[in-house]
Amino acid sequence: MNMIMLVGTAGSGKSTLAAAFSEWLKDHDKSIGLVNLDPGVRWLPYSPDIDVRDYIDLEKIMMKYELGPNGALIASMDMMVEYLPQIRGEIAEMNYEYLIVDTPGQMEIFAFRSTGPYITSNITEEKMIILCLIDAIFTKQLSNFVSALLLATSVQYRFLKPQINVISKSDMLSLNEKRRIEKWIENPEILEIEVTVEPYVMRRELGRKIIHAIKDEILSDIVFTSSTTYEGFDELYALVERIVAET
Ligand SMILES: Nc1nc2c(ncn2[C@@H]2O[C@H](COP(=O)(O)OP(=O)(O)O)[C@@H](O)[C@H]2O)c(=O)[nH]1
Ligand SMILES: [Mg+2]
């Protein structure tokens, strides 16, 4: 069994992609299971085989410890570590080709506290691939795109797993916007040149240095997908297969 874990900022489309990509994979005769690790989600566009909400009740945590939603989510991440043996046991019983793992909406709570990478490393011994979602909205402006790439690099640095960077919601991009980004991906030199016409001197300098430092790592495995049109799912799956074969 191979694990595919979706990470990304709140609203980047993780849960929707988990649902749409699993449907697409099932249509291609793959056996797929789904895991929800978001204790705060009210509604999911799929029925999870394993659901962290069976162990952790965010409303109860808020009431018991008099916390707001963010404080309760942080507390729930620590509780998830306590329930890790049970969740690990549930995963070990699964026998799918791929298990798709959806993570909390607030990525900073999952990826940037020590619990997220700890949970990821200890939840299974199966092969794990991270899909790091970049909302297409953040790719329209050069400075936003550079920041999104930096965040994706940061995710890679945190989890240290094979990673595919996914520009989600590509149906929100016009053909010209998509072409512009594809050009940046294919020729990072163009990205480095374009960043030097940024109006802010500090951003110009920093942008150039950032792109130079991260381009080889982060722009190599990047794919556009849309959970609305299923665009890019074949390419995404080809990348997943390649990583599975390599590792
Ligand atoms: N147009 C479009 N909207 C999407 C796509 N994927 C997700 N969304 C919308 O983006 C919002 C956030 O999606 P969700 O999957 O809940 O994000 P999550 O917080 O990362 O799990 C929802 O309103 C989705 O309907 C997509 O591929 N295209
Ligand atoms: Mg979600």
Side-chain angles (χ1 to χ4, degrees), residues 3-236:
M3 313 277 288
I4 301 176
M5 180 177 269
L6 282 69
V7 181
T9 50
S12 59
K14 297 179 290 295
S15 301
T16 314
L17 183 63
F21 193 43
S22 63
E23 283 307 315
W24 186 91
L25 287 166
K26 281 179 197 166
D27 285 347
H28 288 74
D29 298 324
K30 307 289 165 200
S31 64
I32 306 297
L34 284 147
V35 181
N36 171 46
L37 289 188
D38 186 354
V41 71
R42 291 248 164 87
W43 178 84
L44 285 171
Y46 56 86
S47 322
D49 299 79
I50 301 172
D51 195 339
V52 73
R53 293 174 300 177
D54 293 343
Y55 300 99
I56 297 166
D57 184 332
L58 204 70
E59 299 279 336
K60 270 194 193 151
I61 297 172
M62 284 170 70
M63 299 273 278
K64 187 171 172 194
Y65 301 104
E66 297 179 350
L67 292 168
N70 277 325
L73 259 178
I74 291 171
S76 71
M77 284 299 114
D78 297 338
M79 285 176 194
M80 218 194 282
V81 173
E82 272 174 53
Y83 290 112
L84 204 55
Q86 284 97 316
I87 299 171
R88 191 185 155 90
E90 279 201 77
I91 289 176
E93 278 173 24
M94 301 277 138
N95 192 17
Y96 294 105
E97 282 174 85
Y98 290 96
L99 201 56
I100 297 183
V101 185
D102 189 11
T103 62
Q106 284 81 341
M107 178 182 121
E108 67 278 20
I109 291 175
F110 186 70
F112 297 137
R113 298 174 64 80
S114 52
T115 40
Y118 178 82
I119 290 166
T120 307
S121 296
N122 291 285
I123 206 166
T124 181
E125 267 157 29
E126 305 284 348
K127 207 174 280 181
M128 168 96 68
I129 297 170
I130 304 256
L131 303 190
C132 179
L133 272 66
I134 298 170
D135 193 319
I137 292 287
F138 299 140
T139 63
K140 293 189 186 208
Q141 258 188 20
L142 186 108
S143 59
N144 286 352
F145 184 56
V146 174
S147 302
L149 293 180
L150 198 51
L151 190 63
T153 308
S154 191
V155 166
Q156 179 132 40
Y157 182 66
R158 296 289 297 153
F159 289 100
L160 303 173
K161 300 277 182 204
Q163 180 169 316
I164 300 169
N165 299 300
V166 176
I167 297 177
S168 60
K169 310 186 193 176
S170 63
D171 56 288
M172 307 280 276
L173 298 171
S174 70
L175 204 56
N176 278 343
E177 286 168 333
K178 195 179 163 202
R179 287 220 178 102
R180 182 171 180 236
I181 303 155
E182 280 171 338
K183 205 172 68 184
W184 290 338
I185 295 168
E186 282 158 23
N187 297 299
E189 301 75 35
I190 295 175
L191 193 56
E192 274 186 75
I193 292 164
E194 279 189 35
V195 86
T196 58
V197 295
E198 270 278 338
Y200 300 101
V201 177
M202 198 173 158
R203 191 177 280 161
R204 273 202 301 260
E205 274 307 297
L206 205 48
R208 201 179 47 73
K209 286 179 188 162
I210 290 170
I211 295 162
H212 192 74
I214 67 177
K215 62 180 181 190
D216 293 340
E217 195 62 40
I218 222 66
L219 291 172
S220 54
D221 284 336
I222 191 160
V223 58
F224 292 82
T225 66
S226 164
S227 298
T228 311
T229 65
Y230 286 22
E231 181 202 338
F233 282 7
D234 44 358
E235 209 183 319
L236 175 59

